[in-house]
Amino acid sequence: MKILFAGASGILGRKTTRELTAAGHQVAGLGRGAGNTLQADLLDPAAVLRAVDGLHFDVVIHAATGLSGKALTRHRDMAPTNELRTKGTVNLLAAARATGARRFVAESMMFGYGYGDHGTTPLAEDHAVFGPRGTNAWLERHVGAMRTKEKLTFTTEGIEGIALRFGLFYGAGVTDTLTVPMLRKRALPVVRERGTVLSWVDVDDAARALALAVEAGKPGEAYNIADNTPLSFAAHVRAAAEAFGTRPPRTVPSWLLRAAPLAHTVITTNLCLDPTKAHQDLGWTPEHPDGPTRLRELAAALANG
């Protein structure tokens, strides 16, 4: 198939592109960066349509974010990504229609289920509300953007929409380039664990899931994508520090992180995903089901060149 890929130049995009091309598909990246086949600002509707004028695609993937490998601490750090999830989705759906693409695969995230305490039962796609109203204005902007992205994906006429709701990414290209450098600078504190856990997924496993969804995802369906080992943010970061031989992260009182309100909200959320439907429909299971084990393997592989 011919695939138009917004977000192809990011870490998830590059890995997914390798999966797709290995399966025989043709991928054209769309975005502002020089690494894209087609260059356009995804928030400029006219520019997006000019970039794809006269071209045909079978599938459009929307995995574009405004994160650029940055640590998220303040709510306003999410503003570029929120806009890509709302206005950017509208523009990419217009490109899908203009190029004859019927399938539209959207990257989503587990926090679309809402921040806060979700209890101990893993959330399944059909038994949890996606996109509940945020508990304050900032959280509504974040959750609302994810809700809008999925609603547009599933309700646009003539489009077979599929969404993947990922756990937090780690692994090659994420842990070694973002988490470990912050640990070495003592710039990644954690708070005392209070029984909260989050779902995680190795970014290589996430890329395989995204590639499988292009071929096997069922129209109108959302899929949770997570490994088998939910961990608190603190436990994950400590496992990374141990695996890569850095000093352990500093443990600080929860209130101290209120100066970084988005980070505080994320690490105090209690939310884990049930990925059973992805196993059944996509034939996806994580090659790296246990986060701490994967971190040790990754550290050893990098140390050995």
Side-chain angles (χ1 to χ4, degrees):
M1 293 183 286
K2 293 184 177 180
I3 300 169
L4 181 65
F5 195 159
S9 60
I11 181 64
L12 175 65
R14 295 194 299 273
K15 291 173 180 286
T16 305
T17 296
R18 287 196 290 270
E19 295 282 343
L20 292 168
T21 53
H25 305 302
Q26 300 176 43
V27 180
L30 173 66
R32 291 185 301 179
N36 288 289
T37 312
L38 305 171
Q39 294 189 346
D41 183 342
L42 299 178
L43 300 179
D44 183 337
V48 170
L49 290 178
R50 283 196 301 270
V52 301
D53 185 39
L55 300 177
H56 168 76
F57 294 98
D58 302 294
V59 181
V60 174
I61 300 174
H62 181 4
T65 71
L67 304 181
S68 302
K70 298 177 182 177
L72 302 178
T73 58
R74 302 161 300 177
H75 285 297
R76 62 177 177 268
D77 294 337
M78 281 297 297
T81 296
N82 290 342
E83 200 167 20
L84 284 167
R85 286 172 171 161
T86 53
K87 296 178 183 177
T89 302
V90 172
N91 297 339
L92 286 168
L93 283 164
R97 291 192 294 268
T99 60
R102 293 188 58 82
R103 176 160 290 218
F104 190 92
V105 182
E107 175 199 21
S108 192
M109 289 296 293
M110 68 179 183
F111 294 117
Y113 289 111
Y115 300 89
D117 188 353
H118 291 269
T120 59
T121 302
L123 300 185
E125 300 87 345
D126 300 331
H127 297 92
V129 175
F130 190 86
R133 293 290 169 181
T135 54
N136 64 40
W138 278 112
L139 297 186
E140 170 55 22
R141 292 177 192 178
H142 309 331
V143 176
M146 288 181 267
R147 178 175 63 242
T148 296
K149 183 175 183 178
E150 287 206 9
K151 182 177 180 181
L152 289 167
T153 297
F154 292 137
T155 62
T156 299
E157 186 176 357
I159 294 295
E160 299 175 349
I162 299 157
L164 272 64
R165 300 168 180 170
F166 292 104
L168 290 171
F169 293 146
Y170 73 96
V174 179
T175 303
D176 51 322
T177 64
L178 180 62
T179 305
V180 172
M182 292 182 70
L183 281 167
R184 288 177 175 148
K185 293 186 290 186
R186 303 286 283 167
L188 190 60
V190 298
V191 300
R192 294 180 181 87
E193 298 179 59
R194 297 181 178 178
T196 60
V197 296
L198 296 166
S199 276
W200 301 81
V201 63
D202 179 85
V203 69
D204 287 296
D205 282 333
R208 286 194 305 106
L210 190 50
L212 286 168
V214 166
E215 297 180 337
K218 295 181 179 180
E221 296 292 340
Y223 296 97
N224 292 336
I225 306 295
D227 69 17
N228 299 344
T229 316
L231 290 173
S232 69
F233 183 83
H236 180 88
V237 173
R238 290 191 184 106
E242 181 179 355
F244 283 84
T246 74
R247 294 175 64 187
R250 292 179 295 121
T251 301
V252 301
S254 178
W255 61 263
L256 192 62
L257 290 187
R258 293 191 185 279
L262 179 57
H264 180 269
T265 299
V266 168
I267 67 178
T268 57
T269 288
N270 184 41
L271 194 169
C272 60
L273 303 176
D274 178 355
T276 301
K277 187 162 72 166
H279 301 171
Q280 295 172 343
D281 287 5
L282 305 182
W284 176 85
T285 55
E287 291 184 358
H288 307 290
D290 179 81
T293 299
R294 170 57 173 158
L295 290 169
R296 290 191 295 271
E297 293 171 348
L298 176 60
L302 292 173
N304 294 328

